[in-house]
């Protein structure tokens, strides 16, 4: 159930057309955890940086407006603009408390992902060690352009794809939840305003490595550091 897409090699699709349930899910999660431990051991042996990557979006027309307050006896009101716009985020986290991200207005494409991998490649060059990236099976991650990029940079960056229907096993999903909890897209006045608030929040988290480390301590992803 685990596939590694690196050095330009296509990763086969995995998982049934509907979300698995019950015993099959347990087996998939168990296999995922075993594979992660093997990748972590390999990264440790290579003195490589192991990072978890994911992408998410914030939309003004679907986000909750957040909480507010009012004097006793009055109904709290939260003003929203009613306009429709969104921003997208690509991020990666490491168990040592590091965070990398990019915020962009358009669609998530191979060009965007390769640009993000370029940033991780610069990290590898600067630190003098390889970067092992774990991400989900988004079609962009398996695209021809991404495979070509990985083939050209295989000595410094390697991409591992998680099994299907296993998003909850990625610690970076906890950053996404944290972001959506603190950045209220429905209150933003424009896409630029939403992008600014998103970057401000993520920059703050970059200065709080203990919070990033806390994601990895959550019960369902603790296996990534055990």
């Amino acid at each position: 159930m685990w596939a590694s897409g690196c050095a330009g090699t296509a990763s086969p699709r995995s998982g049934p057309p509907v979300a698995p349930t019950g015993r099959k899910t347990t087996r998939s999660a168990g296999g995922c955890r075993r594979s992660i431990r093997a990748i972590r051991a390999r990264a440790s042996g290579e003195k490589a940086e192991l990072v978890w990557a994911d992408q998410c979006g914030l939309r003004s027309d679907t986000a909750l407006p957040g909480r507010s307050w009012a004097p006793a006896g009055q109904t709290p009101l939260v003003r929203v603009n009613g306009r429709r716009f969104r921003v997208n985020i690509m991020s990666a986290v490491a168990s040592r408390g590091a965070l990398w991200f990019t915020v962009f207005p358009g669609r998530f494409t191979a060009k965007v992902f390769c640009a993000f991998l370029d940033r991780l490649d610069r990290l590898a060059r600067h630190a003098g060690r390889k970067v092992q990236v774990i991400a989900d099976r988004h079609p962009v991650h398996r695209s021809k352009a991404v495979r070509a990029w990985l083939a050209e940079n295989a000595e410094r960056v390697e991409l591992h794809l998680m099994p299907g229907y296993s998003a909850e096993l990625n610690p970076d999903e906890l950053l996404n939840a944290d972001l959506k909890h603190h950045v209220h897209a429905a209150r933003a006045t424009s896409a630029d305003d939403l992008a600014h608030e998103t970057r401000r929040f993520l920059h703050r988290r970059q200065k709080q490595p203990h919070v990033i480390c806390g994601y990895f301590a959550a019960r369902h992803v603790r296996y990534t550091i055990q």
Side-chain angles (χ1 to χ4, degrees):
M1 293 291 293
W2 186 273
S4 174
C6 61
T9 302
S11 303
R13 293 179 179 271
S14 66
V18 295
T21 59
R23 192 175 301 172
K24 193 164 188 177
T25 300
T26 302
R27 287 202 302 268
S28 298
C32 181
R33 292 186 180 98
R34 287 192 295 271
S35 298
I36 288 298
R37 292 188 181 103
I39 294 171
R40 193 176 73 241
R42 178 181 164 193
S44 178
E46 296 176 345
K47 293 182 171 42
E49 180 87 77
L50 181 62
V51 306
W52 295 78
D54 195 34
Q55 64 286 331
C56 74
L58 294 177
R59 285 180 53 176
S60 62
D61 60 332
T62 60
L64 296 175
R67 303 178 66 179
S68 185
W69 64 274
Q74 297 184 27
T75 302
L77 297 176
V78 177
R79 295 186 180 277
V80 297
N81 61 58
R83 297 172 56 197
R84 179 182 298 179
F85 49 81
R86 69 174 292 159
V87 297
N88 294 307
I89 303 96
M90 183 74 211
S91 62
V93 294
S95 60
R96 63 182 176 87
L99 164 64
W100 302 267
F101 71 88
T102 183
V103 178
F104 54 98
R107 294 187 307 111
F108 179 58
T109 63
K111 182 177 180 180
V112 171
F113 188 49
C114 286
F116 188 73
L117 291 175
D118 277 330
R119 297 183 63 181
L120 297 181
D121 181 45
R122 290 195 293 273
L123 164 69
R125 292 174 184 271
H126 178 74
R129 56 178 177 164
K130 192 171 185 176
V131 178
Q132 300 277 3
V133 184
I134 300 175
D136 62 21
R137 301 186 63 80
H138 192 287
V140 165
H141 300 160
R142 297 178 281 126
S143 65
K144 182 177 180 180
V146 170
R147 295 199 306 269
W149 188 98
L150 291 167
E152 294 176 1
N153 300 276
E155 293 183 359
R156 294 180 303 279
V157 179
E158 188 170 350
L159 177 64
H160 305 273
L161 302 180
M162 302 179 70
Y165 311 109
S166 59
E168 74 281 358
L169 299 178
N170 187 340
D172 202 26
E173 290 284 354
L174 293 172
L175 172 66
N176 296 342
D178 192 13
L179 171 67
K180 292 177 180 180
H181 178 72
H182 286 92
V183 177
H184 303 298
R187 299 187 188 183
T189 58
S190 66
D192 288 342
D193 181 36
L194 180 56
H196 172 75
E197 291 301 316
T198 301
R199 291 189 183 96
R200 186 168 71 168
F201 172 81
L202 293 171
H203 280 307
R204 184 165 71 248
R205 284 292 181 259
Q206 282 184 322
K207 299 175 182 178
Q208 299 171 318
H210 64 283
V211 176
I212 306 300
C213 290
Y215 300 151
F216 290 83
R219 182 177 180 181
H220 62 292
V221 297
R222 198 177 303 158
Y223 77 95
T224 61
I225 57 176
Q226 291 177 333

